[in-house]
Structures are given as structure tokens and as C-alpha cells.
Amino acid sequence: MNDNHVTPGDDASRRHLWERLGPAELKQFAESGPEELYEAAEQLCRRAAGEGPDGSAAARTVGRIAEALADTRSGDCVRFAADIVGRLLPPGSAYREEGDRLRRSVAAKLVKVQQLRDLEALFEELPDGVQDTAVEVRACVLGELALIGAGRGRPVLDAYAERLRELGHPLARLPRTRLDIEHRFGVRVRGLGSIKTADQLRSRFPEIPATENGAAAGRRAGETLDGRRARAAAEPFTVSGWVREPEARFFTLPSPLAPDDFAISLIKELPLDCLAGEGTRRGVAVTCRTTPDDVLNELFSAAYNGGVNGQAQGGAYARLYAWNSLYALMGLPVDTPFLEAVLLAADHRWLRFIAFTDWFHHDTSDVAFAVLDPTRTRVTVLAATDTDADADAD
């Protein structure tokens, strides 16, 4: 029997014991007594629901229990973990953000740890709608399976995925398998961290020199305001809590731009907040040519890893936010098929740039892209920055 078995006592002592247990101790309970952990989660959820916002400590403990169960391989642990985050968590607004995070986190752990045959048991009953949080857990599991290329061809999973598509769940519009353009999602390469210097950028991508024709085109550019598109482009950064509001801007050029003139000289002439001012860091700015898969991977990573002050979104939703942003950068209708979008992306020109202005924190993460459409007359710029400093220098 588990050395940490809960001894008889009043409800308060039992409740506080669960809150004191660390990850290793919860894992031991999940391995030897998952039913006891599930019962504890039920009690804690009732307490959190009764206490409202004051029950946040209990709700956090429930989340730790669910993650410990998800991280322990067994059919019972699959069922218990999914039920805790899909049914037991209090539905009130005080726990909505935490509930979303936990459902995505538990779904990712289930796919990483559990056997597919045990996961299939979650999908035996088809949903009638997409508002149920239990359905949301299963949608996230399907999304995580898609990222590892698993689950297709399983009748139970295929039927559930088709029902989600019919019901209009946002994750259901994504491909059921990873596309070639997504090959870098979640892959860490030694030595390839955040780009923080011009030399790092030049070492990875071919630099494009400035041209006077590019500068002249930038001075004649007109801005197109589109709040909906800007929000979609910035979504991977806003949902994951990057400390500064990202900048997403759209410009139209008076005539088609020669490809070699799409460089820093043009970008520096645009009225961008990220390049404005005469701050202490203003000076060096570099543009390098990049590829759509590099851009898409950066968008995915921003949402998947989360900002310093935010939360990681889980693979399924990070993938959705990344594609939403890429579509917005290209100005594509949301119903454009994904493989068509991949082909269209190849017809655009993609730049990464780095600029040492005070808008960028030059701390944990800085990202800046510019996109030129196939007509060579429309330019999109997206910039984001994050820091672990105590205060944002707005």
C-alpha cells in the first residue's frame, strides 16, 4: 500500500493533506490508488464550487491531481483524469481560464503517456454539441493525436472527429495529420534558441541588403486598418500572455515591388511602433529572407510555450492559433483549404527582421516578420516581444 495513504480524520485534515502533497507523492497515489485520488478530486471540486473565487487553492489541487492521473498509464487513470477536467471542475467564471489550461494540459499528457486503446474508450459516445467541457477535453485529445500522426483509421476516433466537424468545433477544421510545413512543431534543436542579435539572425538566414527603391516604396505606402485581421495575426502572442501588445499592421504599395527591394529599407519607412522613436537601442536593423515553415513554427512556439506572464496553450490550440495567424498574415479567407494555403504561402515572400529599438525588450523573446503578397503590392508586418522583467517599459 502507498506509504502516503490518507489516514482517517476529519474532512479538513484530509483536504489539507491533498493540498500539501507534491508531484511525486501524487504520482504514487495515481499508481497505487487512483480511485482514492479521484474521490479526493470530487470532494475538492465541491469545496471549490461552494467557496467561489476563494476556492482557487482547491481548484489548483484538483488540477495537480488530474495531471498526475493523466501522467500514469492505465485505463482507469485515463477515465479519471478526463472526467475531473471535463466534468468535475467548477464551471464558474472564476475558474474558466484555469479550466481551459488544465483541459489542454491533461489532453497533452494523456496523448503522450497513455495507450491509444485506452484513449479510445473516451470516444464511444458521440457528442450532441460542443459547449460541454467533456467534449472539449476529447477535442483536445484528437488535436494532440493529430500532431503526432496518430488516431486516423480508428473508426471510433474518426466518427467523433467527423461529428466535431459537423458541429463546428474550431479544432475540427485542422488536418487530422501533421502537414509537411508543420515538421518543426515542438522540435527543439540544440543551439537554435531565441534570436537576440543581428549576427545570430545572419547566421541562420540570408540577409537582404537595403535599397533606395525599397525606401522610396515604403515612403509611399498606405496603411489598411483591419482590426479583426490584426487580432488573428497577433493571436499566438496575446493568448499566451506576452507582456507587450503585439503589433500587426497592413500596408499597400502604389506599384508592384521588385523582390530585391523587399528589405529593411522599406520596413524602416513604414510608420511602425516597433521601429519608432530615438531610443537608446535605435540603430542596427537587419532583414533576412525566411520561409513559411519558419514563420509558422515561431507562431506555434509562441502559443505552445506561453509567455513569461501567461500560460502555455497545449499543442492542439497552439496549432490552431498558429494557422489563424498565418492565414491573417496572408489575408486568406478562413475557409481556404490548408493544402491550398501551403501552396499560396510559397508564392509570398517572407522576411525576419531584428531592430534594436526600445519597443523590443531584447530579453526572453523577440519576433518580427514582414510578408509580401504575390501581387507585390501588399505588405504585412507582425512584431512581438516578451520579458521576464518585473515591469513592462511602456
Side-chain angles (χ1 to χ4, degrees):
M1 184 62 184
N2 194 309
D3 293 337
N4 291 311
H5 179 65
V6 178
T7 56
D10 60 27
D11 289 342
S13 63
R14 292 171 63 88
R15 180 183 73 202
H16 292 307
L17 182 143
W18 297 117
E19 294 175 352
R20 290 195 303 268
L21 293 181
E25 295 165 313
L26 287 173
K27 184 74 184 301
Q28 289 177 359
F29 270 110
E31 291 170 347
S32 62
E35 298 87 354
E36 190 169 11
L37 265 188
Y38 180 75
E39 291 170 1
E42 282 188 304
Q43 295 170 3
L44 288 164
C45 282
R46 285 195 295 270
R47 172 196 163 195
E51 295 180 353
D54 292 335
S56 57
R60 286 193 297 270
T61 303
V62 170
R64 293 169 51 230
I65 289 174
E67 290 181 331
L69 288 165
D71 202 30
T72 305
R73 181 178 287 192
S74 84
D76 285 341
C77 287
V78 169
R79 179 166 51 87
F80 290 149
D83 198 50
I84 288 171
V85 296
R87 186 180 66 85
L88 296 184
L89 278 177
S93 59
Y95 309 104
R96 184 169 295 125
E97 184 175 331
E98 180 68 6
D100 288 344
R101 185 195 71 79
L102 281 171
R103 280 183 278 277
R104 297 168 190 183
S105 173
V106 165
K109 287 183 183 294
L110 287 172
V111 169
K112 180 180 179 180
V113 173
Q114 306 294 342
Q115 299 183 79
L116 190 55
R117 66 172 181 269
D118 290 328
L119 293 177
E120 281 185 301
L122 298 176
F123 297 90
E124 293 174 348
E125 183 177 343
L126 294 178
D128 296 323
V130 295
Q131 301 306 314
D132 189 340
T133 51
V135 175
E136 181 66 15
V137 174
R138 286 151 178 80
C140 289
V141 169
L142 288 174
E144 296 289 344
L145 286 170
L147 279 171
I148 63 171
R152 288 201 70 175
R154 301 265 185 162
V156 172
L157 300 181
D158 291 345
Y160 203 99
E162 178 60 22
R163 178 62 63 86
L164 289 179
R165 189 190 65 78
E166 293 170 352
L167 293 172
H169 193 285
L171 291 177
R173 61 180 286 264
L174 294 168
R176 292 283 308 285
T177 58
R178 184 187 292 212
L179 303 181
D180 286 348
I181 196 174
E182 301 172 308
H183 68 102
R184 292 173 57 189
F185 282 8
V187 176
R188 292 187 178 274
V189 180
R190 185 182 297 274
L192 293 184
S194 175
I195 294 174
K196 298 181 180 179
T197 69
D199 287 343
Q200 286 176 329
L201 185 61
R202 291 187 180 106
S203 71
R204 299 186 197 179
F205 305 98
E207 183 177 1
I208 304 174
T211 69
E212 180 51 43
N213 287 339
R219 288 190 289 270
R220 298 195 303 272
E223 184 170 6
T224 301
L225 300 178
D226 189 333
R228 182 205 60 78
R229 186 180 171 197
R231 287 189 295 273
E235 193 172 35
F237 308 98
T238 55
V239 298
S240 53
W242 283 41
V243 297
R244 190 189 294 278
E245 183 73 18
E247 182 173 19
R249 306 277 288 277
F250 314 103
F251 301 93
T252 302
L253 306 178
S255 59
L257 186 72
D260 290 343
D261 292 327
F262 187 45
I264 194 62
S265 48
L266 180 145
I267 295 170
K268 289 176 72 172
E269 295 298 331
L270 300 176
L272 297 168
D273 293 339
C274 66
L275 298 183
E278 297 294 336
T280 57
R281 298 189 183 101
R282 187 166 177 80
V284 177
V286 175
T287 52
C288 291
R289 184 172 294 120
T290 190
T291 56
D293 65 308
D294 172 55
V295 176
L296 189 63
N297 182 65
E298 286 286 356
L299 299 172
F300 174 84
S301 297
Y304 182 75
N305 295 319
V308 169
N309 293 332
Q311 298 288 349
Q313 296 297 306
Y317 272 95
R319 188 188 189 204
L320 176 65
Y321 298 141
W323 277 107
N324 287 347
S325 180
L326 195 78
Y327 272 50
L329 292 177
M330 294 191 288
L332 298 182
V334 294
D335 59 353
T336 303
F338 285 92
L339 291 180
E340 183 178 336
V342 172
L343 294 176
L344 291 171
D347 292 333
H348 289 65
R349 294 183 74 84
W350 303 83
L351 302 181
R352 290 184 74 134
F353 68 91
I354 189 168
F356 293 91
T357 65
D358 285 338
W359 189 92
F360 291 101
H361 290 293
H362 303 282
D363 187 5
T364 58
S365 297
D366 298 302
V367 177
F369 297 111
V371 188
L372 181 66
D373 85 317
T375 72
R376 307 294 188 250
T377 60
R378 292 193 293 274
V379 175
T380 301
V381 177
L382 174 64
T385 185
D386 199 16
T387 180
D388 60 2
D390 291 337
D392 182 14
D394 276 323

